[in-house]
Amino acid sequence: MKSKSYNRLKYILAHALLIILSFMCLFFFYILIINATRSHADLQKGFSVFPGKNFLENLKSVVNDGTFPMIRGIINSLIVSACSAAICIYFSALTAYGLYAYDFKLKKAAFTFIMAILVMPTQVTAMGFLRLITKMGMYDSLLPLIIPSIASPAVFYFMYSYLQASLPLSLVEAARIDGSGEFRTFNRIVIPIMKPAVAVQAIFTFVGSWNNYFIPALVLQSKDKMTVPILIATLRGADYMSFDMGKIYMMILVAIVPIILVYLLLSKYIIAGVTLGSVKG
């Protein structure tokens, strides 16, 4: 009887804690949506839990603002984030597969070298990176934000760990016996097995690239090439008297919509991976 009461209490406390955490996570997002529907005058009056009537007006202000190319910034961020996520995931998975499925003399040295790069801060190499892309003629372009994503030690390590847990080498050997080429084996057999890991890292890489401020701030100068974080950061230098807070909240809301869509599209693969793992266990 005591055991049942104890389990029931644990159940109630766990759900109460989850409700509180969910509320804390979603409350500020809810306030952002509410403020995006209110006018500047309404926002000056203070906090409100009810939506306003200026959603379309604020959205039109964002779209039609010629001095603040938010839509262009979103397109730039989408290009950079999608391309970065795609090449980062593919080449990190390919590198992880190469180190996992092959035995060669420098295998341990290569793994150690990649892990050493993992602990190196981006700021340490920033000036050298800036000089390199300037000499290569890629300054003030989107390419320096995309190409370096090919080398991502953190994603590589995640993929390598996932392969160790989910890919038996006997499956690779069977594919080789059947005459499958290495790239065909990787693309047709390994990648489908890694779908949950690919989905997780695609979300993290996309969001990380979308929110990246440091490198774009060093590389980009033209306003029509700036990404969303750079454009939003420029709001701090705007004249306070010309501020339209409703418009600013709408800018932030529009900027996070692609991240939410990417998560919704890929979350089913994460859930499928967790379910598969629990069934195997």
Side-chain angles (χ1 to χ4, degrees):
M1 191 69 180
K2 288 183 178 179
S3 177
K4 288 184 178 180
S5 300
Y6 177 70
N7 290 335
R8 185 175 179 81
L9 179 61
K10 283 175 62 179
Y11 178 85
I12 294 172
L13 289 175
H15 280 73
L17 180 61
L18 289 174
I19 290 171
I20 293 171
L21 291 175
S22 300
F23 174 79
M24 292 174 64
C25 292
L26 297 176
F27 175 74
F28 298 103
F29 182 68
Y30 172 76
I31 294 301
L32 171 62
I33 297 174
I34 294 299
N35 288 343
T37 66
R38 303 172 68 197
S39 66
H40 180 76
D42 291 335
L43 289 168
Q44 293 293 90
K45 295 177 182 177
F47 173 78
S48 173
V49 295
F50 300 106
K53 301 178 181 179
N54 286 70
F55 180 84
L56 291 178
E57 287 78 1
N58 291 337
L59 184 59
K60 288 178 182 177
S61 297
V62 171
V63 174
N64 297 326
D65 189 348
T67 62
F68 193 86
M70 190 65 185
I71 302 301
R72 182 61 192 174
I74 291 175
I75 293 173
N76 291 338
S77 287
L78 281 173
I79 293 171
V80 171
S81 300
C83 293
S84 296
I87 65 175
C88 175
I89 297 305
Y90 185 81
F91 285 100
S92 295
L94 186 63
T95 306
Y97 172 71
L99 284 180
Y100 174 70
Y102 293 91
D103 286 323
F104 50 94
K105 291 183 179 180
L106 298 177
K107 181 175 181 176
K108 290 185 178 179
F111 184 84
T112 304
F113 176 73
I114 295 173
M115 290 297 98
I117 298 175
L118 177 62
V119 300
M120 186 177 298
T122 305
Q123 291 80 358
V124 172
T125 59
M127 294 310 298
F129 174 72
L130 185 60
R131 289 180 181 178
L132 176 64
I133 63 170
T134 302
K135 289 181 179 179
M136 295 177 67
M138 292 193 294
Y139 185 73
D140 195 23
S141 72
L142 300 180
L143 289 177
L145 308 181
I146 298 173
I147 296 174
S149 301
I150 292 176
S152 178
V155 179
F156 156 80
Y157 182 71
F158 184 91
M159 297 294 187
Y160 186 82
S161 301
Y162 191 87
L163 284 175
Q164 286 180 315
S166 61
L167 179 66
L169 287 177
S170 57
L171 188 62
V172 177
E173 292 171 359
R176 291 171 180 168
I177 292 172
D178 289 340
S180 175
E182 294 301 324
F183 278 99
R184 185 177 181 183
T185 301
F186 176 74
N187 293 325
R188 297 290 183 89
I189 298 175
V190 178
I191 286 293
I193 290 174
M194 298 179 68
K195 268 187 180 180
V198 168
V200 170
Q201 289 304 314
I203 291 174
F204 290 158
T205 306
F206 185 93
V207 173
S209 180
W210 185 276
N211 293 331
N212 187 15
Y213 173 80
F214 180 69
I215 297 299
L218 288 176
V219 173
L220 302 177
Q221 291 293 324
S222 303
K223 211 163 189 177
D224 63 332
K225 295 179 182 177
M226 289 183 177
T227 56
V228 169
I230 304 300
L231 289 174
I232 292 178
T234 59
L235 294 174
R236 293 179 299 181
D239 183 9
Y240 178 78
M241 298 302 294
S242 64
F243 254 25
D244 184 344
M245 292 303 298
K247 176 181 170 183
I248 292 172
Y249 278 114
M250 178 58 70
M251 289 176 180
I252 299 172
L253 178 62
V254 170
I256 64 175
V257 168
I259 297 176
I260 297 173
L261 292 177
V262 168
Y263 176 78
L264 292 176
L265 288 172
L266 298 178
S267 60
K268 62 180 180 180
Y269 295 109
I270 302 173
I271 297 170
V274 172
T275 305
L276 181 63
S278 63
V279 171
K280 285 182 178 179

